[in-house]
Amino acid sequence: MSEEAKYYTKQPGILTGALVGGMVTAPLIALMYLADILAGLPFIPFDVFDWLARNLPGDVIRFGINLMIDYVITPLELGETSSVAKTLEHIQGIGIVFGIGVITGAVMYKLFTLFQIRQVYVVGGGIGLLIGVMMAAISQSVNFTATADPTLQVLWILFVFIVLGGSLSWIYSDLTTVHPTPAKTEEDQRLQLINRRQFLVRIGGATATITVMGAGLGTIIREQEEQDAPVQRSTLTVADLPADLPNMSADVTPAPGTRPEYTPLDDHYRIDISSRPPVIDGESYRLRVYGLVEQEREISLRELQENYEPVNRYVTMSCISNRIGGDLISTTLWTGVPLHLLLDDWQVKPEATYLKITSADSFDEYVSIDLIRQDPRIMLTYAWDGVPLKQKHGFPLRIHIPDHYGMKQPKWITDIEAVDYWDEGYWVRRRWSASARVKTTSVIDTVAVDHAFERDGQVYIPIGGIAYSGAKGISKVEIRINSGDWQEAMLREPLSDTTWVIWRYDMPFEPGDMSFEVRTYEGDGTPQIESPAGTFPDGATGIHSVRTRIPQTITPESTDTP
Ligand SMILES: Nc1nc2c(c(=O)[nH]1)N[C@H]1C(S)=C(S)[C@@H](COP(=O)(O)O)O[C@H]1N2
Ligand SMILES: [Mo]
C-alpha cells in the first residue's frame, strides 16, 4: 500500500448521506406544508401516513395504535385520546417522510462512492424522480383534501423529489470536489475533513433556516385562514330545534365530576381514516343514488333538508376502539331524514337487500334494508348540535344507525347504491366485527370526595358516571365498594333511548383506601358482560373499577341535598 493511498480523503459515505438527506428533506417538508396552505397542493407526509394506514395489514395498524395509546397518550396524560392521536399521527407522517429522505441520502452516497459514479446529477435526479413517481401515486390514491389541479399536484410532487435527489447530488459533488487532490499527509487529511465539516454546517444552517421559516409562515397563514373562515351554518336551516334538553326536570342530578351529559361539539371525539377530513362543497354537493332503484338520482343537500320534516334525536356514539372507561364516546343532537322514508321515495327494487354506502374518503359500509325498515330511527344526518355537520364530523351527510358502533356509520356520504348482496365494509375488511353491535358498558367518572354533603346527620360522597347500551336501554346500575355487596345506584332520566344514562350513588362516608366497581343491566334485564375483553374485534367488555383514597376527615359541602 502506498503512502498516498493511506491518507486518501475519505469519501462521503452512508453517514454523511444520511445527514445531508435529513438536512435537505426538512426544508422540503416545510415547503410542501407551505404549498399545501397557499396552493392546495398535497402534503406528502400525511398522504404517506394515510396510505400506510390503509394498506398495512390491520394487525400492524392495531399494534401501532395500541402502542401509541398505552405508551404515549395514556402515561403522559396528553389529553383526549382521539385528538391527541391525530396529532401524533401527523408527527409520525412527517417523521416517516423525513426518514425516507435520510435513507435516500445514505443509500445514494453509498452508491456514488461504491460505484465511483461520475454523473451524480443524472443518477441522483433519477432516484429523486423514481421516489417522486411513487409518492405521486400514493398521494393520488389517498388525498381527498388537496384542491389544486391534479396534474399540477403530480408535477409538484415530482419536482419536490427531483429537488431532493438533485440537492443531494449537488452537495455530494461539492463535498468531493472541494479537494480534488487526495490528501498526502495526515495534516492534509485533517484540514480537508475540517473544511468539509464547515461546508456541511453552512448547508445545515441554511436548511434549518428555510425549515423554520417555511413552517412558521405556514402556521401563521393557516391560523389566519381559520379565523377568517365563513361559518357554513348560514346556507342551511335546521328547523324546530328543541329549546332545552328533554330531561331538564330529571330528579337525579349528576355527581360532580361526571362527564357532561351533552358533549360540547368541540369536545366530541373524532375518528377518521385520513389525516385530514375530506373537503366537500355544500352547494355543489349531490348524493348519488343508484343500483337497484327504479331511477337513479342525484340529490342536493337542500332537497334533503326542505323536502322532509327534520327529525331530531339525541344520540350517544361510541367507537368500537373505545376501551372500558375510555373517552371515544360522546353525545350530541343529530338532525336529519329517516332513511326508510327515502327508501320509499327512491323506489328501491324489492330484490335489493343492502345499501352500499361510499364516502368521499373512500370509506364504505353496507346497511341492511331490512334493518332500515325495522328501525325508523336510522337517519341520514346533516346537522349536529343544531348546526350543519362540521367538516371533520362528516359534512355534508352522515348516517346514524342506533345500537351500532361508529365504524358502521359513514361520514361524508357521497354514494348510496342499492345492491342484492352483502360485503365487508372498510373496518370489517380489517377483521373488525361485521355486526359491530354496541357492547353494553358502565363507567365510573367520579368519586367526588371534594363534594361530600350531609343529609340527616350522615355524610355522603357522591359517586357517578355513565352506562351505555347502544339502544338496548339501561334498567339498572350497581356499585360495589371494596368487593362488598352490589348496591343499586340512582338513574338519571336520559336524553333519549339512544344516549348513555347518567347514574349516581351517594356513598355513606367511610375513610380509607377504597375500590369501586360498576356494572349495569340492559332494558330487558340482560346484565353487561363482566368478563374482560379488549376492543378488538367486537368492542371492549368488562367491569370498570377505580381506586380512591378517602381521607379520615372531610368537610361536607352543605347540609342540603345536592
Ligand atoms: N367516511 C368515514 N366515515 C367514518 C369514519 C371514517 O374514517 N370515514 N370513521 C368511523 C368511525 S371508526 C367512527 S368511531 C365514527 C366517528 O365519528 P366522529 O369522528 O364524527 O366522532 O365515524 C365513522 N365513520
Ligand atoms: Mo371507530
Side-chain angles (χ1 to χ4, degrees):
M1 192 191 272
S2 72
E3 277 297 294
E4 264 184 37
K6 189 172 158 205
Y7 293 115
Y8 195 94
T9 304
K10 262 176 67 195
Q11 286 195 296
I14 290 191
L15 283 181
T16 313
L19 179 72
V20 177
M23 289 193 315
V24 175
T25 308
L28 284 177
I29 292 176
L31 286 182
M32 282 191 276
Y33 179 62
L34 205 58
D36 156 29
I37 292 165
L38 292 177
L41 288 161
F43 187 57
I44 291 298
F46 291 176
D47 292 350
V48 169
F49 186 90
D50 289 355
W51 186 83
L52 289 173
R54 283 162 197 240
N55 291 291
L56 287 178
D59 302 305
V60 176
I61 300 296
R62 227 170 14 256
F63 180 73
I65 291 175
N66 284 334
L67 281 185
M68 187 160 78
I69 297 179
D70 291 340
Y71 294 100
V72 185
I73 300 181
T74 310
L76 299 182
E77 297 184 16
L78 291 181
E80 191 267 316
T81 313
S82 61
S83 55
V84 175
K86 217 11 114 207
T87 308
L88 290 179
E89 288 173 14
H90 288 173
I91 295 171
Q92 288 170 47
I94 293 170
I96 290 168
V97 169
F98 185 75
I100 291 174
V102 168
I103 292 169
T104 306
V107 171
M108 208 184 263
Y109 282 25
K110 182 73 204 172
L111 289 179
F112 286 168
T113 47
L114 195 63
F115 298 109
Q116 291 296 312
I117 289 173
R118 285 176 185 280
Q119 294 94 343
V120 287
Y121 284 99
V122 178
V123 177
I127 293 177
L129 177 66
L130 202 72
I131 300 174
V133 169
M134 284 178 343
M135 292 298 158
I138 284 175
S139 173
Q140 288 295 301
S141 72
V142 295
N143 188 311
F144 304 99
T145 50
T147 48
D149 179 76
T151 320
L152 195 65
Q153 294 184 26
V154 171
L155 290 176
W156 167 243
I157 298 169
L158 297 182
F159 171 76
V160 165
F161 285 92
I162 291 174
V163 168
L164 171 69
S167 323
L168 277 163
S169 312
W170 168 65
I171 296 170
Y172 180 88
S173 67
D174 245 45
L175 285 173
T176 42
T177 52
V178 166
H179 299 283
T181 44
K184 294 209 175 66
T185 62
E186 207 168 329
E187 178 61 11
D188 263 8
Q189 191 192 38
R190 203 178 60 81
L191 283 174
Q192 290 186 4
L193 282 175
I194 286 173
N195 269 341
R196 180 187 289 176
R197 216 160 277 157
Q198 280 170 347
F199 174 66
L200 284 177
V201 167
R202 275 210 310 279
I203 299 268
T207 59
T209 312
I210 301 175
T211 308
V212 170
M213 279 175 39
L217 195 60
T219 309
I220 292 169
I221 298 171
R222 168 134 297 163
E223 276 168 8
Q224 196 56 45
E225 274 176 356
E226 270 164 16
Q227 276 171 22
D228 299 346
V231 189
Q232 277 164 340
R233 130 184 5 181
S234 56
T235 61
L236 294 139
T237 47
V238 181
D240 298 330
L241 269 189
D244 261 319
L245 295 180
N247 62 351
M248 280 284 286
S249 53
D251 34 43
V252 175
T253 49
T258 307
R259 73 189 71 197
E261 184 165 39
Y262 187 87
T263 314
L265 195 48
D266 285 336
D267 297 347
H268 199 291
Y269 86 90
R270 165 195 166 195
I271 301 286
D272 308 338
I273 57 172
S274 306
S275 291
R276 286 190 187 145
V279 190
I280 298 179
D281 170 51
E283 290 300 325
S284 58
Y285 169 81
R286 297 290 179 275
L287 170 66
R288 287 183 295 272
V289 179
Y290 51 94
L292 299 171
V293 290
E294 287 307 332
Q295 209 202 328
E296 299 190 353
R297 56 188 80 209
E298 297 202 333
I299 305 165
S300 72
L301 190 52
R302 206 169 287 281
E303 283 172 83
L304 282 177
Q305 290 165 345
E306 289 172 1
N307 297 351
Y308 301 87
E309 187 65 30
V311 169
N312 294 311
R313 176 164 298 107
Y314 293 89
V315 170
T316 296
M317 180 172 60
S318 170
C319 182
I320 195 165
S321 296
N322 191 37
R323 299 168 174 208
I324 297 298
D327 58 10
L328 300 178
I329 181 169
S330 306
T331 300
T332 191
L333 180 68
W334 295 50
T335 304
V337 187
L339 191 46
H340 71 99
L341 296 181
L342 294 168
L343 281 188
D344 296 341
D345 286 0
W346 295 342
Q347 295 169 284
V348 172
K349 292 182 179 167
E351 62 266 34
T353 49
Y354 284 87
L355 295 184
K356 179 186 184 192
I357 300 185
T358 311
S359 302
D361 58 350
S362 80
F363 187 91
D364 59 326
E365 249 307 333
Y366 289 75
V367 189
S368 148
I369 290 179
D370 276 347
L371 185 68
I372 298 169
R373 298 217 189 272
Q374 278 160 30
D375 191 343
R377 296 173 300 187
I378 296 177
M379 71 159 144
L380 290 188
T381 303
Y382 49 75
W384 261 20
D385 193 33
V387 293
L389 289 172
K390 297 215 161 180
Q391 190 200 345
K392 62 181 174 183
H393 290 300
F395 181 84
L397 201 63
R398 65 185 301 164
I399 189 172
H400 174 230
I401 308 169
D403 214 24
H404 289 74
Y405 285 117
M407 62 166 273
K408 282 276 153 185
Q409 316 192 39
K411 312 189 261 191
W412 308 294
I413 298 175
T414 56
D415 292 62
I416 297 185
E417 181 184 1
V419 294
D420 58 3
Y421 61 89
W422 175 84
D423 207 346
E424 298 176 329
Y426 184 90
W427 283 115
V428 182
R429 290 195 292 279
R430 286 155 182 82
R431 303 200 1 251
W432 288 86
S433 166
S435 59
R437 291 245 347 242
V438 167
K439 293 266 190 285
T440 298
T441 182
S442 51
V443 179
I444 301 167
D445 281 341
T446 176
V447 177
V449 179
D450 295 340
H451 295 270
F453 65 94
E454 200 175 321
R455 187 198 294 142
D456 302 332
Q458 169 70 54
V459 174
Y460 294 92
I461 295 169
I463 302 168
I466 54 152
Y468 177 61
S469 69
K472 295 178 278 287
I474 295 290
S475 57
K476 189 156 72 167
V477 169
E478 291 177 331
I479 299 300
R480 180 160 75 164
I481 301 164
N482 287 344
S483 307
D485 293 332
W486 287 99
Q487 313 273 344
E488 197 167 340
M490 298 179 282
L491 298 184
R492 176 174 160 86
E493 183 197 321
L495 290 168
S496 82
D497 59 1
T498 48
T499 61
W500 52 34
V501 174
I502 287 185
W503 60 265
R504 172 186 181 126
Y505 177 77
D506 293 330
M507 176 186 81
F509 168 70
E510 197 189 319
D513 274 327
M514 302 274 184
S515 77
F516 301 89
E517 293 165 286
V518 63
R519 71 180 180 194
T520 188
Y521 297 78
E522 293 166 6
D524 67 0
T526 308
Q528 79 168 78
I529 299 170
E530 292 191 20
S531 58
T535 54
F536 181 78
D538 293 318
T541 60
I543 297 245
H544 188 234
S545 63
V546 298
R547 299 190 140 271
T548 305
R549 182 176 188 86
I550 313 271
Q552 289 294 328
T553 52
I554 54 181
T555 328
E557 248 187 355
S558 74
T559 47
D560 286 320
T561 49

